[in-house]
Structures are given as C-alpha cells and as structure tokens.
Amino acid sequence: MKLDSQIEKISSFQHLELLANQIVEGFISGMHKSPFHGFSAEFAEHKIYNPGESTKHIDWKLFAKTDRLYTKRYEEETNLRCHLIIDNSSSMHYPELGSNQEFYENKIGFSVLASACLMNLLKKQRDAVGLSVYSDEYEYYSPEKGSDRHHRMILNKLETLLVADKTSKKTDTVSFLHQIAENIHRRSMVILFTDMFQSESEDKIFKALQHLKHNKHKVVVFHVYDQKTEFSFDFDNAPKKFIDLETGESINVFSDNLKNDYEKSIQDYFRKIKESCLQYKIQYVPVEIGKNFEKILITYLVEKQNFG
C-alpha cells in the first residue's frame, strides 16, 4: 500500500469527516420520510422561551425580526450514548491495497469510514460518542461525549489508523473487551468492528461480549470480511504462499485443493458466530468490506429505535 497515495485520496475529500458526511447525506436523501422514530433531528417548530431555560436553541434571527425570544424545538432530541470499538490487529489491515484502490477497501479502512459515518449521524442528533481501539494492547480510549472538539479528536484518531506503520500485531480481544466493559459506566449502545479472527477460544470471546452487555448496554457486532478471498476463497490455482498476518506462519498450497473444505469451514464458522450472538442477545451483522455502508447505517437506526 502506498501511504502517500492513500493520504492524498483522503485529503482530496478534505479528510475523513467530509467523506463520511457525503455518504450519510446520500443515505438520508435516498430515504423518504424516515420510518425510524427518533432518527430526525430536523427543526420542527418554535416555542416561546421561558426564563431560566437554556439559551442554546434560541433563534436569534427570529428575535431580530420580532423582538421576542423563541427557541427551536426539534422532532426528536435524544441523549443516546454510543461507544465505538475497533479491532486494529494485523488481520484487520487485510487485504493489502494497491495504488488504485480506495482506503476503505480493506477491513481497517472500511471500519474507520463506517465509524465516521455513524459519528456523523450521532452528531446530527446531538448524541454522545466514545471510542476504543485495541490489538495486542489497549491502544486508545475516549469516553462518550458530544462536543465538536471531542468529535474532531476522535476523527483525528480514526485517520491515524489509516496511515499507521505496518507492524505485526496479534489480537487480545478477550482481555480488552473486558477492560472496555469496565470503562463504560452509563447505559450505551456498544458497536464493535472486528473480523472475528481471534486466538482465544470462542467461549471466552462470547463471555467478553456478554460482559459488554452489563448495565443493560446494547451490543452490535459488525463482522467485517473480504468476500472474494476470505469467504469465497477465490484464487487462481497457481501455487500460493499464505502468510498469517499476526503470527507470521506460512503455508504453500494450491487453492483448488482447499477451496471446497475452506468454504464449508468458513460457512460453518459464520453460522456458529451468528447462533452464539443470538444466544447472548447480541446483534450480529456480517458486512462485506468496500460497500454496505447503508447496511451499517440502517442497522444503527433500527437498533437505536429498539434501544429506548
């Protein structure tokens, strides 16, 4: 991956924030009157300002015309708290990007842009957002807040994930999900982006996910994957050397010799994850990278509606 090329692409959109805004605005404009109660933060009407109320939403332009104080009332004002979690292990930096590819065509880039899109929606609705990033260490933690300064700080952190040096980092999901759960004190929607490639036992992972549900948190897992190679194992039959990005272990194989068994195994794995999440009442959403931002936004809106 040529970092200079990728940075240039991000800069051409005036950083991540504008690109996320373009995606969200396109998503919203493609919808008719929203069927999701609580989605719209659009202006609804004015009401007379009562002394002692916050002056935050006073319409000063109307005051200049009428010499009377009115505040703007919105269709829906919520105080949702959302904590985003991103798995930043080496396997999330797959596939390696070519110079002609967009930064969101690998798993970490897709997760970063999807997170920025969710932040855009949260900001529109004046909801609080926090962020945790982990790999073989707890790389970053920021509690849930709603200020513009806080949003910009998190966006800056997300951008650094796109241009970080390429190092071999394993995943310690179990330890850090438990730590993150301890850090989230008030009831929140918790959204995790991960490829679910872990070294720990599945039972331990789901116990950690269950820990995230304490204090009545709502947990959504976006399982990000590359459809062509990780799910369909779509390679030509020339001899290939497959290298584990986290351990460095390698194996030389002809893909056609493994394709049928691999596809059966990966389908079974996806099904097992889905069934386990259903058992623990965790919303599980497999998402193919490079597309499906609409799927993520719709999932968020539906889960927010059911969160109250």
Side-chain angles (χ1 to χ4, degrees):
M1 174 173 136
K2 296 182 179 179
L3 293 182
D4 291 343
S5 172
Q6 296 303 313
I7 294 171
E8 182 179 352
K9 287 180 181 178
I10 299 169
S11 298
S12 69
F13 289 103
Q14 297 181 24
H15 305 297
L16 189 62
E17 183 177 20
L18 183 54
L19 178 54
N21 185 65
Q22 290 174 339
I23 292 172
V24 172
E25 291 300 327
F27 168 72
I28 294 173
S29 65
M31 301 171 66
H32 295 291
K33 180 65 176 178
S34 172
F36 302 104
H37 175 70
F39 169 71
S40 177
E42 297 298 323
F43 167 71
E45 61 181 356
H46 286 98
K47 68 183 183 70
I48 296 175
Y49 171 76
N50 294 314
E53 291 181 346
S54 171
T55 60
K56 182 178 180 180
H57 297 300
I58 288 178
D59 189 332
W60 295 108
K61 290 183 179 179
L62 187 61
F63 172 74
K65 294 178 181 179
T66 66
D67 201 30
R68 298 187 66 181
L69 290 174
Y70 292 91
T71 59
K72 293 180 179 181
R73 177 179 291 166
Y74 294 85
E75 291 185 16
E76 182 67 18
E77 297 195 34
T78 62
N79 291 304
L80 176 74
R81 303 171 69 83
C82 181
H83 197 88
L84 303 172
I85 307 172
I86 296 180
D87 173 0
N88 191 36
S89 58
S90 293
S91 65
M92 286 287 288
H93 290 258
Y94 177 85
E96 184 173 349
L97 297 176
S99 59
N100 63 335
Q101 289 183 279
E102 303 293 348
F103 71 90
Y104 51 82
E105 292 184 70
N106 71 2
K107 291 182 284 188
I108 191 65
F110 179 84
S111 300
V112 162
L113 182 52
S115 296
C117 291
L118 290 173
M119 285 179 60
N120 186 285
L121 279 181
L122 288 158
K123 185 176 181 180
K124 287 180 181 295
Q125 299 178 282
R126 297 174 299 282
D127 292 329
V129 62
L131 174 68
S132 286
V133 180
Y134 73 90
S135 55
D136 55 354
E137 61 180 329
Y138 197 165
E139 298 181 10
Y140 183 81
Y141 166 72
S142 178
E144 304 81 34
K145 296 180 182 179
S147 68
D148 287 342
R149 180 180 179 183
H150 183 74
H151 273 259
R152 195 154 302 283
M153 179 183 70
I154 292 181
L155 283 168
N156 181 67
K157 177 59 185 179
L158 291 176
E159 287 184 351
T160 66
L161 298 182
L162 300 175
V163 295
D165 292 336
K166 189 175 180 181
T167 57
S168 179
K169 295 187 291 187
K170 297 182 180 180
T171 314
D172 192 359
T173 299
V174 171
S175 297
F176 298 123
L177 287 187
H178 282 300
Q179 287 189 37
I180 293 168
E182 293 296 330
N183 281 336
I184 305 174
H185 302 295
R186 296 177 61 183
R187 186 168 180 254
S188 305
M189 183 184 296
V190 181
I191 296 177
L192 170 63
F193 289 92
T194 179
D195 58 6
M196 295 300 291
F197 289 147
Q198 325 293 340
S199 59
E200 301 92 345
S201 71
E202 292 169 15
D203 184 58
K204 288 182 179 180
I205 292 169
F206 284 107
K207 278 184 168 49
L209 287 171
Q210 190 178 33
H211 189 186
L212 283 177
K213 286 177 59 66
H214 86 303
N215 289 339
K216 298 183 179 179
H217 299 317
K218 176 72 177 180
V219 178
V220 181
V221 175
F222 286 115
H223 180 179
V224 294
Y225 65 97
D226 181 61
Q227 172 70 31
K228 180 178 178 180
T229 60
E230 291 186 321
F231 193 83
S232 300
F233 208 64
D234 186 4
F235 297 95
D236 60 54
N237 200 36
K240 292 285 190 300
K241 183 178 184 179
F242 292 89
I243 303 174
D244 189 310
L245 291 173
E246 297 188 9
T247 67
E249 296 178 9
S250 63
I251 183 174
N252 297 304
V253 297
F254 288 91
S255 60
D256 280 2
N257 295 340
L258 296 177
K259 183 175 175 64
N260 290 337
D261 289 339
Y262 177 90
E263 288 183 340
K264 183 179 183 302
S265 295
I266 199 69
Q267 290 168 12
D268 289 344
Y269 181 57
F270 272 58
R271 182 168 57 253
K272 186 173 183 180
I273 294 173
K274 181 179 180 179
E275 291 172 352
S276 296
C277 285
L278 185 62
Q279 176 186 348
Y280 287 106
K281 296 183 179 179
I282 294 168
Q283 184 64 32
Y284 169 73
V285 185
V287 187
E288 179 184 351
I289 61 173
K291 55 182 68 175
N292 283 330
F293 291 106
E294 180 176 325
K295 184 177 184 180
I296 288 174
L297 297 175
I298 289 176
T299 298
Y300 160 75
L301 294 176
V302 171
E303 294 307 314
K304 178 176 180 176
Q305 182 178 350
N306 296 330
F307 184 63

